[in-house]
């Protein structure tokens, strides 16, 4: 097996391990801190919650979630592709197992792990958002409305988190129709606070998800001035595996020609660039700027819907 094949295998294995970790983190956050307070959240997890409480606990959340995931994937196959579908089947299986196992543990307790509803909901939402974010960063999916979000992101620049919010709000609001002993006024009084908690959790999950994804995609632009520009450029190519653009310039004060290096990298790679420059030339002049996005080879792919030509 050559080096490239080995690297590809290692990257794929690392992705699957992070997907498993992210989905188990989601399962823990949901079953330990959200479900015990009967809060309905978005996604197929929310649909499963509606069925769970609607059936008085007879149908587990994981069962409804898994069945609906398989149905959604049948529609998504042509849009999101074979790799995404396979990882989603894998992800849907992992998250169903995690929710099923954790549900049997935390729902059997005499009281919620954290009695305070607000703190429990916020902590659960943060864990769920981290889990989904980690899963998406490593090209996986927990299924459900994540599939819808992935289909939208394939066709437009609408953020995944925003897509999830619009889809999930309707699911959360359906919790008002869950079985309830009392008149309409009592139902409204009891259910509206729970719906508000569900909407807050949905917003936090979407926000954390976008934050994790965007942090991973943030890019940095370096402009470097150095007499040892060639050595720095070579090291950036060889050690950081990033391209370098060399621009001819002129110092207006000295009236001497200079070479200007321009480098773009992921934000998490910034320290590597600084170390390379410092190891070659400690007197180098460097500017660093955050950029909203870098598109092209080695970075993100532009997802823009082109207008159809007029006939």
């Amino acid at each position: 097996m050559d080096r490239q094949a080995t690297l590809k295998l290692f990257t794929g294995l690392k992705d699957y391990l992070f997907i498993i970790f992210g989905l188990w983190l989601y399962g823990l956050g949901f079953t330990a801190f959200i479900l015990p307070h009967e809060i309905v959240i978005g996604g197929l997890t929310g649909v499963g919650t509606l069925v769970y409480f609607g059936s008085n606990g007879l149908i587990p959340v994981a069962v409804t979630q898994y069945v609906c995931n398989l149905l959604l994937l049948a529609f998504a196959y042509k849009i999101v592709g074979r790799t995404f579908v396979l990882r989603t089947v894998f992800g849907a299986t992992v998250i169903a197992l995690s929710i099923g196992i954790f549900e049997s543990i935390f729902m059997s307790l005499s009281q919620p792990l954290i009695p305070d509803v607000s703190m429990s909901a916020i902590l659960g939402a943060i864990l769920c958002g981290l889990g989904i974010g980690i899963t998406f960063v490593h090209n996986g999916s927990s299924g459900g409305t994540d599939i819808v979000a992935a289909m939208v992101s394939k066709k437009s620049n609408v953020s995944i988190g925003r897509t999830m919010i619009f889809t999930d709000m309707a699911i959360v609001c359906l919790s008002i129709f869950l079985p309830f002993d009392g008149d309409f006024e009592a139902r409204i009084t009891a259910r509206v606070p729970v719906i508000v908690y569900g909407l807050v959790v949905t917003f936090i999950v979407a926000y954390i998800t976008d934050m994790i994804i965007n942090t991973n995609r943030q890019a940095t632009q370096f402009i470097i001035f150095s007499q040892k520009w060639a050595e720095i450029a070579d090291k950036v190519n060889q050690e950081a595996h990033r391209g370098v653009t060399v621009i001819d310039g002129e110092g207006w004060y000295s009236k001497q020609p200079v070479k200007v290096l321009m480098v773009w990298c992921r934000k998490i790679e910034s320290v590597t660039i600084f170390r390379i420059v410092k190891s070659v030339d400690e007197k180098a002049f460097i500017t660093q700027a955050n950029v909203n996005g870098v598109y092209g080879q080695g970075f993100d792919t532009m997802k823009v819907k082109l207008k159809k030509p007029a006939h």
Side-chain angles (χ1 to χ4, degrees):
M1 185 181 293
D2 58 19
R3 183 177 179 276
Q4 187 174 0
T6 303
L7 182 61
K8 185 176 181 181
L9 178 62
F10 174 77
T11 302
L13 179 61
K14 184 184 71 173
D15 280 344
Y16 276 105
L17 290 176
F18 272 102
I19 290 170
I20 293 173
F21 173 72
L23 295 179
W24 278 84
L25 191 63
Y26 178 92
L28 175 65
F30 170 71
T31 55
F33 304 108
I34 297 174
L35 187 63
H37 291 286
E38 300 187 11
I39 298 173
V40 177
I41 64 174
L44 289 188
T45 305
V47 174
T49 305
L50 290 171
V51 174
Y52 176 77
F53 288 117
S55 65
N56 199 26
L58 292 178
I59 304 177
V61 176
V63 172
T64 303
Q65 183 186 38
Y66 194 65
V67 171
C68 291
N69 266 324
L70 296 181
L71 293 175
L72 261 180
L73 284 172
F75 294 99
Y77 184 84
K78 289 185 178 181
I79 298 176
V80 298
R82 180 172 176 269
T83 301
F84 180 88
V85 169
L86 290 177
R87 293 198 181 201
T88 304
V89 170
F90 171 77
T93 303
V94 172
I95 198 170
L97 288 173
S98 68
I99 289 178
I101 292 172
F102 285 135
E103 180 183 320
S104 64
I105 296 173
F106 293 108
M107 292 304 288
S108 63
L109 300 178
S110 57
Q111 65 177 12
L113 200 61
I114 298 180
D116 183 77
V117 182
S118 299
M119 290 303 300
S120 186
I122 292 173
L123 180 57
I126 292 173
L127 291 178
C128 288
L130 286 172
I132 294 177
I134 292 170
T135 301
F136 264 103
V137 164
H138 292 276
N139 303 312
S141 171
S142 61
T145 51
D146 294 355
I147 301 173
V148 178
M151 288 191 288
V152 172
S153 69
K154 285 282 184 178
K155 297 295 184 178
S156 71
N157 286 325
V158 178
S159 73
I160 291 174
R162 189 180 305 167
T163 305
M164 290 167 62
I165 286 178
F166 290 131
T167 308
D168 295 346
M169 281 179 65
I171 297 173
V172 174
C173 292
L174 286 175
S175 62
I176 199 170
F177 298 110
L178 286 174
F180 180 80
D181 294 330
D183 57 18
F184 180 75
E185 184 178 349
R187 175 188 290 270
I188 295 297
T189 303
R191 292 296 181 194
V192 167
V194 178
I195 291 176
V196 171
Y197 278 119
L199 293 175
V200 170
V201 168
T202 301
F203 173 79
I204 295 174
V205 170
Y207 177 79
I208 298 294
T209 300
D210 265 0
M211 186 178 69
I212 297 297
I213 294 172
N214 290 333
T215 298
N216 182 71
R217 290 178 178 174
Q218 280 181 349
T220 301
Q221 174 183 282
F222 285 95
I223 298 178
I224 305 167
F225 298 82
S226 172
Q227 295 295 324
K228 301 179 180 179
W229 59 271
E231 189 177 347
I232 292 174
D234 287 339
K235 281 205 169 188
V236 170
N237 283 160
Q238 296 165 7
E239 298 180 14
H241 305 291
R242 284 299 180 189
V244 181
T245 300
V246 182
I247 302 174
D248 290 319
E250 180 181 344
W252 195 247
Y253 179 79
S254 64
K255 300 298 189 292
Q256 296 296 317
V258 295
K259 296 290 187 180
V260 183
L261 305 183
M262 294 190 69
V263 180
W264 291 271
C265 67
R266 297 291 187 190
K267 190 172 183 178
I268 58 175
E269 298 171 323
S270 300
V271 175
T272 302
I273 302 299
F274 275 117
R275 286 175 178 168
I276 290 172
V277 175
K278 185 177 180 180
S279 67
V280 176
D281 183 6
E282 291 189 353
K283 296 181 180 180
F285 184 82
I286 310 172
T287 67
Q288 177 187 7
N290 293 327
V291 291
N292 291 329
V294 177
Y295 302 94
Q297 187 174 3
F299 290 91
D300 298 324
T301 302
M302 286 187 291
K303 299 168 184 176
V304 180
K305 295 179 71 175
L306 300 177
K307 292 183 179 181
K308 296 181 178 180
H311 294 288

